[in-house]
Amino acid sequence: MNVEQASLLVLLAAMLILFSLDRFRIEVVAIGGLLAGFLLKLYPADAVFSGFASPVVITVVEILLIVQVLAQAKFFDGLAQRFQSAKWSNLAVIASLASITGFISVFMNNIGAFAIMLPATLRVGTVLQIPRRQLVIPISFAALLGGLVSLIGTPANLLVSDALTKATGQGFRFFDFAYAGLPVAAAGILLISFLVTRLFPEADEEISGPAPAARRIVAEREIPFSSPLVGIRLSDCADSFGLQPHALIRDGSFVFGSLAKSVIEPGDTLLAEGADSVFSDLEAGGALLAPAHPNGLQTDFARIEAVVMPESTLIGSRIRSLEVFRSRGITVTAISMRSPRIEGRFEDLQLSIGDILVLEGTRDAIAEALDECECLPLATQPSAGSSKGSWYPFAIFAAGVLLPAFGVLRPEIAFAIVVFALAVTRFLNIRQAMADINWPIVIMLAAMIPIGTAVQTTGTAEVVARWLSLVVPISMPLAGMAVLLFVAMALTPFVNNATVAIVLSPIAIEFAEAAHHPPAAYLIAVAAGASLDFLTPFGHHNNTLAMSIGSYRVSDFLRAGGPLALLGYIMTVLIVAAVWL
């Protein structure tokens, strides 16, 4: 191993660690790594920003633009009424919703599919009284499974196809991934639909072990004079009232001292954390004052929950700075946080992906604000009727999908035509849509491409393959592919799937050459492993959102995702070996 190869391995290891820590913005880590690679002379100056001109990045941007249009065409809102009239079992409804999500994810990115189906799914759950915990994980996992099926289902598929093009002169066709992806997706959707009805039973069934915790929120409430909390020490709030106190404010100043010595007085303001039902009960009983709102008497006044999406402009902002709500008379009354860091008062809380805001204001104002800041409401009203025009964007997109599917045009050209058609027909405002794109993901992807290329050009992939050949018989038909699939599945819970595909694709090609096998088989395994991400709530944005929305524990992902990951691993190895080797 030479100095260049050692430097690249150290750089990759450092970047993977920083990505997994999730303490720095992914685009900052990626750009820092890109510049470090140039300073280490891993690629020339004219290759530093070559990733931004990559067909992979262009296709991802086009899909993100298209998804913004499709997400607004809410003709899936009528699903609740259709399921209600069909009188299906809960298992059939869950499997159907997951199947629809998986189908949508075949043709767009996983987050887009999840965002389109989530409001409709929650509406179905409300109408049919299906527990939310039985619905959210299946559609999150189904969106990931659907991405296994097509070239554009996930950026990882586009990246391995680009690697195959560079290695052989021809990439994967649009549905080449479906040979393995479709059976795995179908079996996985059936399995997770069955599992959730057993793992998350309804409240009136017998449950072995402790019941799942309700969603916990953080809120700041005033103590009225007649409240039973008056005279209670903060240390007794948890046992007596189910509240975990974080701060006590009196006359605008913090009350300092130990919890055992701080006593609540009338007129104090309490910043506390607890189940949302606990706050509701205490407010109803007069123990806490519900937040006053100037629009509370208006007929269209609403209390709506909304989740902070990965592309939201609110990420990193503090509640006090949310002018998008304040300017419209909307109050943030509570927040459910994935990992609350409570320092200061309620207005000092900082938002992150997956946080759920409880908003009060007029319905139209909230809808307008959520659209502007890219947050997703967790409940929708049933549609009065679907507009005929809502089908047009899907028809245009379907036509665009057929072009690369039949080899007529390359994906980036076909979807450029779709973007143009949507803009001409005024379904897409390109200027506004470009501002709403999740640019950190795009920048990260473009910055990682030159680094991934360096893995091949510096001979690092060959070195890694040679090391692994000393402990794994990679010349055997299944061994090398099985190892790559395992490594990809092990990395993707901690590193985004695009990075996994970029790093492992050159190594997969070296494996194939060493074993004298077609590289397509190994690259399919890498792409599949990068998307079989079910074991943690932080490996993929969909799972992060699902954890917040469904009030899951980390262990719930292991219980539900473990069998699914094992099934996906076994099926992928066997099918890829049968079809591609």
Side-chain angles (χ1 to χ4, degrees), residues 161-162 164-165 168-173 176:
S161 180
D162 187 58
L164 183 63
T165 301
T168 66
Q170 184 175 357
F172 290 107
R173 293 173 298 178
D176 276 349

Side-chain angles (χ1 to χ4, degrees), residues 29-78:
V29 175
I31 292 175
L34 177 67
L35 296 176
F38 170 69
L39 295 175
L40 292 171
K41 299 182 179 181
L42 300 177
Y43 33 78
D46 57 0
V48 173
F49 297 110
S50 60
F52 290 91
S54 167
V56 174
V57 175
I58 293 170
T59 304
V60 169
V61 171
E62 291 166 347
I63 293 294
L64 292 175
L65 291 172
I66 295 167
V67 166
Q68 291 187 44
V69 177
L70 301 185
Q72 296 171 6
K74 300 180 179 180
F75 59 80
F76 289 112
D77 285 357

Side-chain angles (χ1 to χ4, degrees), residues 256-267:
F256 294 102
S258 66
L259 297 181
K261 295 182 178 179
S262 300
V263 178
I264 299 175
E265 296 182 3

Side-chain angles (χ1 to χ4, degrees), residues 330-391:
I330 302 168
T331 303
V332 181
T333 62
I335 179 173
S336 176
M337 308 180 75
R338 183 163 58 100
S339 53
R341 284 185 60 186
I342 301 175
E343 300 172 352
R345 298 194 58 169
F346 179 75
E347 62 182 9
D348 297 317
L349 296 178
Q350 193 169 20
L351 303 181
S352 60
I353 296 172
D355 290 348
I356 298 174
L357 303 174
V358 181
L359 306 172
E360 292 186 359
T362 59
R363 191 173 300 277
D364 289 344
I366 293 177
E368 181 181 299
L370 294 181
D371 184 62
E372 180 178 326
C373 66
E374 293 293 322
C375 289
L376 184 70
L378 294 187
T380 58
Q381 296 300 314
S383 302
S386 296
S387 168
K388 181 179 179 182
S390 66
W391 287 95

Side-chain angles (χ1 to χ4, degrees), residues 280-572:
S280 299
D281 292 344
L282 291 175
E283 290 171 8
L288 298 175
L289 283 180
H293 198 285
N295 298 321
L297 299 178
Q298 296 188 17
T299 56
D300 62 343
F301 178 80
R303 185 177 186 268
I304 293 176
E305 295 181 349
V307 63
V308 179
M309 297 294 285
E311 66 273 17
S312 175
T313 56
L314 303 186
I315 295 173
S317 300
R318 300 189 184 275
I319 291 178
R320 65 169 177 267
S321 64
L322 302 183
E323 188 62 26
V324 65
F325 297 132
R326 188 179 298 105
S327 62
R328 293 175 171 87
I330 302 168
T331 303
V332 181
T333 62
I335 179 173
S336 176
M337 308 180 75
R338 183 163 58 100
S339 53
R341 284 185 60 186
I342 301 175
E343 300 172 352
R345 298 194 58 169
F346 179 75
E347 62 182 9
D348 297 317
L349 296 178
Q350 193 169 20
L351 303 181
S352 60
I353 296 172
D355 290 348
I356 298 174
L357 303 174
V358 181
L359 306 172
E360 292 186 359
T362 59
R363 191 173 300 277
D364 289 344
I366 293 177
E368 181 181 299
L370 294 181
D371 184 62
E372 180 178 326
C373 66
E374 293 293 322
C375 289
L376 184 70
L378 294 187
T380 58
Q381 296 300 314
S383 302
S386 296
S387 168
K388 181 179 179 182
S390 66
W391 287 95
Y392 294 167
F394 284 87
I396 294 171
F397 180 56
V401 167
L402 292 176
L403 294 175
F406 288 99
V408 178
L409 289 174
R410 291 170 58 91
E412 66 271 20
I413 303 299
F415 294 121
I417 295 173
V418 173
V419 170
F420 175 74
L422 292 174
V424 169
T425 53
R426 298 187 178 182
F427 284 107
L428 175 66
N429 182 327
I430 293 181
R431 181 176 298 180
Q432 179 180 345
M434 289 292 285
D436 293 337
I437 280 181
N438 187 6
W439 285 111
I441 294 295
V442 176
I443 294 171
M444 181 276 300
L445 182 60
M448 286 299 298
I449 286 176
I451 300 175
T453 302
V455 175
Q456 181 72 39
T457 58
T458 61
T460 306
E462 183 179 355
V463 170
V464 173
R466 190 163 56 246
W467 285 349
L468 289 174
S469 68
L470 298 177
V471 293
V472 178
I474 63 173
S475 59
M476 295 177 60
L478 291 181
M481 184 184 61
V483 167
L484 280 172
L485 179 61
F486 177 81
V487 172
M489 291 180 66
L491 285 176
T492 196
F494 308 100
V495 184
N496 62 79
N497 62 359
T499 301
V500 172
I502 289 171
V503 173
L504 293 185
S505 289
I507 299 173
I509 293 172
E510 289 296 329
F511 267 42
E513 291 182 359
H516 304 290
H517 291 152
Y522 292 80
L523 290 169
I524 288 280
V526 168
S531 295
L532 293 172
D533 186 2
F534 313 118
L535 299 179
T536 68
F538 45 79
H540 193 280
H541 288 326
N542 279 14
N543 293 349
T544 302
L545 295 173
M547 183 179 185
S548 295
I549 296 165
S551 299
Y552 298 105
R553 302 186 184 99
V554 173
S555 61
D556 291 333
F557 285 85
L558 290 172
R559 293 192 299 149
L564 193 57
L566 180 61
L567 174 71
Y569 181 83
I570 295 172
M571 289 187 65
T572 300

